[in-house]
């Protein structure tokens, strides 16, 4: 029992909190057809990481995370600017911004001499869920993600009505005086905050999966937005817990001498849940006919 409490429970709680933090903005990204924003975030953080190292001379995880968050926030503003000023589709604006920023990061890496320096990119992007164990105190990622998840939940509660209206009918929302552009920018910034925090703890693959899969699964199986949000939270937490158990315990129960990547397995479970939801939804559609 002590081994479970100190070695397994903290990573499971952290994975669940990361999933919750990602799925809250993920529902509205999906409904506004910007589901791939999380993938864009994973590309734009490189110049922030390099700039953070150049400014501080430190390659620690905290510094790298701060640089990644700054780059993600800047990309959010640039995406909104390009979308409005160039009258581009959000997907096209994302492609322009994250391609340019990733290229800028590569250029900085090669021209400033930092390409020969070991930067702790793993902590900023890929994470290591299995290492987040309880050693005398809770891992800092646990409190950080708990605070971010609670903050995002509170913010969503405060702007629920205008955000829903702006998501489903932005033209009508504008006629009612709702600041649609600011809400879109705020949603993008919230996504950046959740994504970068989750990157450091659980990795980019799991973060992208959590932004999309639980919300998409819930969208296929529900009819109202509140029920979709609650179902997506359930799917997110269930995939985090089940994925960690399958990665860490199932191979040992089967007598195998190794374990699997927890983040990869959680992402796989969330993808399988989405596939099952798609099958159930298609069966319902055929039955309705």
């Amino acid at each position: 029992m002590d081994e479970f409490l100190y070695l397994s429970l903290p990573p499971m709680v952290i994975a669940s909190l990361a999933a919750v933090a990602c799925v809250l903005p993920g529902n509205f990204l999906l409904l506004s057809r910007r589901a791939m924003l999380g993938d864009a975030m994973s590309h734009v953080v490189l110049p922030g990481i390099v700039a953070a190292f150049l400014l501080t001379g430190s390659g620690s995880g905290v510094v790298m995370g701060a640089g990644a968050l700054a780059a993600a926030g800047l990309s959010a503003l640039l995406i909104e600017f390009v979308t409005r000023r160039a009258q581009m589709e959000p997907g096209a604006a994302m492609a322009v911004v994250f391609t340019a920023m990733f290229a800028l990061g590569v250029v900085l890496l090669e021209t400033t001499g930092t390409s020969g320096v070991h930067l702790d990119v793993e902590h900023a992007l890929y994470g290591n869920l299995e290492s987040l164990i309880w050693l005398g105190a809770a891992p800092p990622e646990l409190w950080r993600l708990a605070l971010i998840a609670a903050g995002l939940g509170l913010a969503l509660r405060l702007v629920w009505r205008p955000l829903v209206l702006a998501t489903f009918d932005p033209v009508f929302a504008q006629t009612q005086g709702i600041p649609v552009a600011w809400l879109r920018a705020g949603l993008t910034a919230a996504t950046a905050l959740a994504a970068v925090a989750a990157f450091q703890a659980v990795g980019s693959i799991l973060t992208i999966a959590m932004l999309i899969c639980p919300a998409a699964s819930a969208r296929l199986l529900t009819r109202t937005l509140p029920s979709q949000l609650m179902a997506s939270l359930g799917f997110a937490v269930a995939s985090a817990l089940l994925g960690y158990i399958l990665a860490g315990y199932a191979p040992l129960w089967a007598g195998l001498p190794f374990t699997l990547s927890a983040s990869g397995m959680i992402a796989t479970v969330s993808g399988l849940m989405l596939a099952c939801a798609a099958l159930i939804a298609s069966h319902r559609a055929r039955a309705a006919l």
Side-chain angles (χ1 to χ4, degrees):
M1 179 60 69
D2 288 342
E3 179 181 345
F4 173 79
L5 291 176
Y6 288 103
L7 301 182
S8 296
L9 184 59
M12 294 173 72
V13 173
I14 289 171
S16 299
L17 289 172
V20 169
C22 290
V23 82
L24 289 174
N27 278 279
F28 292 92
L29 291 178
L30 180 71
L31 293 171
S32 59
R33 299 184 179 182
R34 296 193 294 162
M36 293 309 294
L37 183 61
D39 186 38
M41 294 298 173
S42 68
H43 288 79
V44 303
V45 296
L46 180 59
I49 291 173
V50 178
F53 175 79
L54 292 175
L55 291 173
T56 65
S58 172
S60 68
V62 174
V63 173
M64 298 297 98
L69 180 60
L74 176 61
S75 71
L77 296 176
L78 288 175
I79 289 171
E80 292 301 321
F81 177 78
V82 172
T83 301
R84 287 189 293 169
R85 298 291 297 217
Q87 298 297 310
M88 298 177 70
E89 290 292 326
M94 289 181 210
V96 171
V97 171
F98 76 64
T99 301
M101 292 192 67
F102 185 75
L104 175 62
V106 173
V107 171
L108 287 175
L109 197 65
E110 295 298 328
T111 58
T112 59
T114 53
S115 59
V117 179
H118 173 69
L119 297 179
D120 199 2
V121 179
E122 180 179 355
H123 287 81
L125 293 180
Y126 306 112
N128 189 4
L129 185 58
E130 294 83 352
S131 69
L132 303 178
I133 59 179
W134 192 295
L135 291 175
E141 290 83 359
L142 191 152
W143 302 116
R144 185 184 308 130
L145 284 168
L147 180 62
I148 290 174
L152 290 176
L154 178 61
L156 182 60
R157 179 68 181 88
L158 293 175
V159 300
W160 174 263
R161 292 176 65 102
L163 181 59
V164 170
L165 186 56
T167 299
F168 285 101
D169 195 341
V171 175
F172 177 71
Q174 285 183 323
T175 64
Q176 299 300 304
I178 296 175
V180 175
W182 283 105
L183 286 173
R184 285 174 56 89
L187 178 60
T188 306
T191 304
L193 178 64
V196 171
F199 282 162
Q200 293 182 275
V202 301
S204 60
I205 294 176
L206 177 56
T207 299
I208 295 169
M210 286 297 106
L211 281 168
I212 300 172
C213 292
S217 301
R219 181 72 182 91
L220 291 169
L221 299 176
T222 57
R223 296 179 181 273
T224 64
L225 182 56
S227 61
Q228 174 186 325
L229 184 61
M230 296 304 297
S232 65
L233 290 171
F235 285 136
V237 174
S239 61
L241 299 178
L242 181 59
Y244 189 89
I245 292 173
L246 290 176
Y249 290 97
L252 300 179
W253 292 338
L256 300 175
F258 57 83
T259 58
L260 302 174
S261 167
S263 295
M265 181 57 70
I266 294 171
T268 300
V269 170
S270 66
L272 291 175
M273 286 184 176
L274 176 57
C276 291
L279 290 175
I280 294 172
S282 63
H283 178 73
R284 283 183 176 177
R286 287 195 298 268
L289 295 175

